[in-house]
Amino acid sequence: MATETAPPEAPPDKPKKSFKFPTAFTVLFFVLLIVWGLTFVIKPGSYDYVDCGDGTVKPVPGSYHSITVERSFGEKLKDLWLSPVNGLYGIQPEQAAEDDDGNPLKAQDATPEEILEACRGSLSELTGVPEDQLTVADAEDNAVVLGPKAQIGPYESGALIGAVQVFFFVLAIGAFITVTMRTGALDAGIARLVHRFKARALVLVILLMIVFSLGGTTYGMAEETLGFYALIVPIMVALGFDRLVGAAVIMIGAGVGTLASTVNPFATGVASSAAGVELGDGIVLRVIMYLVLTAVAILFVLRYATKVKKDPTKSLTKAVEGDEHLAAEGNEEPPKMTGGQTAVIWIFMLTFVLMIFSVIPWSDFSPSLESITLGWYFPELAALFLVGAIVIGLVGKLGEEGMVNGIVAGMGDFMGAALIIALARGVTVVMNNAGITDTVLNALEGVVSSLSSGLFAVVMFIVNIPLAFLVPSSSGHATLAMPIMAPLADFAGVSRAMVVTGFQSASGWVNLITPTSAIVMGGLTLAKVGYDRYIRFVAPLMAVLFLLVCGFMVLGAYTPLGGTMP
């Protein structure tokens, strides 16, 4: 009699692998590949550029023409290969003023009258002649026609285009933060702050976002925010929020402030100068925008923060190692800080205060403030944080070995964010070396012609969005686009100040999300928040901001709030 055998057990179901969004490095790598691929499709071109006699190089509106860029496939492949290196310390020679025979270059398409118009503001300051009394002869005597932008490479000589200054600045911040943490003062200070604001956590979120937004609207606080993530994110986690709230407080706070810049010299100032208008022209509209958009952004972050605090499962991010310990610290009375810890915290805070003070161009607000204008930039700021790390190490009694190990370890911890910055800068270098940046700008110039005032203002904002993606630097974007875009406002019956407002709004809007921005990718890396999670979080706010900006552009086009008519 046959015996029945039990059927074999079915193999256990393999767990399904869920999609994991790639890291910031992978995102930027694919962006780089796409842009590199476009260099084979988009034809190279250039505007006629002029040095207006004061060192200011401007493109002449309407002078775009095709050029030949002698780049073989192998050379373009080398541009791709070296893009991270060029993004770190690429050098760009000055634009040529002479041809191969030593003769002064002549404009390809720009007429003497167009060159005069492009340089009118600079020539007036240089010669002392009122703008309406300048002649073509003044332009011929002072303005110098330049060739297309030169190739960027690591072995050239000229202007530093790479982000090595920002790169080292980030490493210096890492050293400063880590040395401070190893003294124990930062943990103790955070614990005391969390305990004090435990019942008023949302108030702290509001205050911090206002502070960062003021930094954005006054001087374009951007890369400087990278130093605050190691401080703010742990505080937000300890207060019962998640890391995304900490990142949003900094990134959205400063970003919305920059979007609605009022006197930001690196965006509003550069753009106003290039457009030939005063810095204060259109400021009423921008102040209203700042107040409204900042309030909207704060309410948006508060809504998410409240939801996460009530139900941590609603968080869009996953906790990382140490977050539970931070959250637990907020539930108990922390010990009192020692005298040494208090001294370290004061040095820590004063270092950031000095950083903010040193980068604000006080003399731009009033000549009487020239004496307090330090004019520091990333080299000085990097030195500030390195010296600060040493001082804190001495005050905190870490000893020579402990201090050196802290500095090295801190730089290592921040290396990922620093490399992201170099990779993001490399994207724009690939575009420059292929000669397609001006081609994209010319295409956008053609879009905004022959539109009504209100539609022109809105389209001016929209066409600057892709340009802001390609040129993340607000000052670089302004220098490139304003001389071309601003004169178009005259034909649309719109104040040139509205072109400035449209540019800075687009630049600020894009720089809240673009993966080519070192501030976005570096900040998220420091906060340990995935780019996909951040995009999912911020997408509704981006839509609201887009619609509000469009509404403000229409308002400015049809009312005196937008600025003085030509």
Side-chain angles (χ1 to χ4, degrees):
M1 183 176 176
T3 58
E4 293 185 0
T5 58
E9 294 183 2
D13 294 335
K14 294 182 179 181
K16 294 182 178 180
K17 292 183 178 180
S18 59
F19 173 76
K20 186 177 181 181
F21 195 83
T23 64
F25 287 97
T26 304
V27 172
L28 277 177
F29 175 72
F30 282 108
V31 170
L32 177 63
L33 285 181
I34 292 170
V35 171
W36 182 73
L38 289 174
T39 64
F40 293 92
V41 179
I42 300 175
K43 294 182 179 179
S46 176
Y47 288 94
D48 284 326
Y49 284 86
V50 290
D51 181 339
C52 295
D54 58 354
T56 303
V57 178
K58 298 180 178 180
V60 179
S63 66
Y64 175 82
H65 54 275
S66 297
I67 60 173
T68 300
V69 178
E70 301 292 343
R71 305 293 285 178
S72 65
F73 177 82
E75 288 173 320
K76 285 191 174 183
L77 187 61
K78 187 177 181 180
D79 283 338
L80 175 66
W81 181 38
L82 289 179
S83 59
V85 177
N86 284 327
L88 184 61
Y89 60 89
I91 305 294
Q92 185 174 42
E94 294 183 357
Q95 291 170 255
E98 299 177 344
D99 60 21
D100 294 337
D101 297 325
N103 300 313
L105 288 176
K106 296 183 179 180
Q108 294 291 317
D109 286 80
T111 65
E113 291 77 13
E114 289 173 335
I115 293 175
L116 170 62
E117 188 61 32
C119 290
R120 192 175 291 275
S122 298
L123 290 175
S124 179
E125 293 183 8
L126 182 67
T127 62
V129 178
E131 289 190 20
D132 57 354
Q133 297 179 21
L134 289 168
T135 64
V136 169
D138 294 312
E140 292 175 342
D141 292 340
N142 295 281
V144 178
V145 176
L146 302 175
K149 291 183 178 180
Q151 299 287 309
I152 298 171
Y155 304 114
E156 305 289 347
S157 65
L160 175 66
I161 301 299
V164 65
Q165 296 178 355
V166 184
F167 180 90
F168 195 68
F169 167 72
V170 171
L171 296 185
I173 287 177
F176 179 74
I177 295 292
T178 301
V179 169
T180 305
M181 292 182 68
R182 291 197 173 186
T183 66
L186 193 57
D187 288 340
I190 289 175
R192 299 293 302 177
L193 184 64
V194 168
H195 183 73
R196 177 172 296 183
F197 280 93
K198 189 64 178 177
R200 298 174 294 160
L202 295 179
V203 174
L204 184 60
V205 171
I206 295 172
L207 292 177
L208 288 174
M209 289 194 69
I210 291 175
V211 169
F212 283 114
S213 70
L214 287 172
T217 194
T218 53
Y219 75 94
M221 190 177 195
E223 286 90 347
E224 301 88 343
T225 61
L226 296 175
F228 290 95
Y229 284 91
L231 174 64
I232 302 298
V233 173
I235 291 176
M236 292 296 113
V237 173
L239 287 171
F241 303 123
D242 63 6
R243 289 181 167 268
L244 187 52
V245 173
V249 164
I250 302 171
M251 194 173 299
I252 295 178
V256 169
T258 303
L259 186 159
S261 292
T262 51
V263 292
N264 174 8
F266 306 110
T268 313
V270 173
S272 296
S273 175
V277 298
E278 296 294 329
L279 177 63
D281 199 3
I283 194 171
V284 175
L285 178 66
R286 293 176 200 135
V287 169
I288 296 173
M289 290 178 65
Y290 167 74
L291 295 174
V292 173
L293 299 184
T294 301
V296 169
I298 290 175
L299 290 174
F300 179 81
V301 174
L302 287 178
R303 179 175 174 269
Y304 174 78
T306 303
K307 181 172 64 174
V308 169
K309 192 173 179 64
K310 289 182 178 178
D311 184 0
T313 62
K314 297 293 182 64
S315 172
L316 295 177
T317 60
K318 294 182 179 180
V320 302
E321 184 179 355
D323 283 357
E324 293 182 1
H325 173 68
L326 284 171
E329 281 186 344
N331 296 323
E332 53 190 43
E333 174 75 29
K336 290 186 177 180
M337 297 176 62
T338 65
Q341 289 176 332
T342 303
V344 167
I345 290 298
W346 273 107
I347 296 171
F348 182 85
M349 292 190 299
L350 288 175
T351 302
F352 279 101
V353 170
L354 179 56
M355 178 194 76
I356 295 171
F357 179 87
S358 67
V359 298
I360 296 177
W362 300 102
S363 59
D364 287 359
F365 306 135
S366 172
S368 62
L369 300 178
E370 178 70 36
S371 60
I372 66 171
T373 303
L374 298 180
W376 286 8
Y377 203 50
F378 291 111
E380 293 85 357
L381 296 180
L384 169 67
F385 282 106
L386 282 178
V387 171
I390 294 172
V391 172
I392 284 178
L394 294 173
V395 174
K397 300 179 180 179
L398 290 180
E400 181 269 338
E401 184 177 1
M403 181 168 56
V404 171
N405 289 341
I407 290 174
V408 173
M411 288 187 172
D413 290 341
F414 278 57
M415 182 60 73
L419 288 174
I420 284 289
I421 292 169
L423 188 57
R425 186 67 59 87
V427 176
T428 58
V429 173
V430 169
M431 289 182 56
N432 174 86
N433 287 359
I436 66 172
T437 303
D438 283 7
T439 303
V440 175
L441 180 61
N442 179 63
L444 298 177
E445 178 187 355
V447 172
V448 299
S449 303
S450 304
L451 298 175
S452 64
S453 297
L455 189 57
F456 171 87
V458 172
V459 172
M460 185 58 62
F461 163 61
I462 295 174
V463 298
N464 271 286
I465 288 176
L467 191 58
F469 173 81
L470 299 173
V471 188
S473 166
S474 59
S475 56
H477 181 173
T479 303
L480 186 66
M482 285 303 98
I484 308 299
M485 300 293 190
L488 300 177
D490 301 340
F491 300 100
V494 175
S495 170
R496 289 192 176 194
M498 285 302 300
V499 180
V500 175
T501 302
F503 137 75
Q504 68 178 37
S505 299
S507 178
W509 189 85
V510 169
N511 282 321
L512 281 170
I513 58 172
T514 176
T516 62
S517 168
I519 298 98
V520 173
M521 305 308 282
L524 293 177
T525 301
L526 292 171
K528 298 180 181 177
V529 173
Y531 180 67
D532 60 324
R533 303 286 177 167
Y534 172 71
I535 292 297
R536 180 180 171 187
F537 161 75
V538 81
L541 177 63
M542 297 300 295
V544 172
L545 292 177
F546 181 89
L547 295 175
L548 286 174
V549 170
C550 289
F552 279 118
M553 294 299 293
V554 173
L555 176 65
Y558 289 114
T559 68
L561 296 174
T564 306
M565 292 297 297

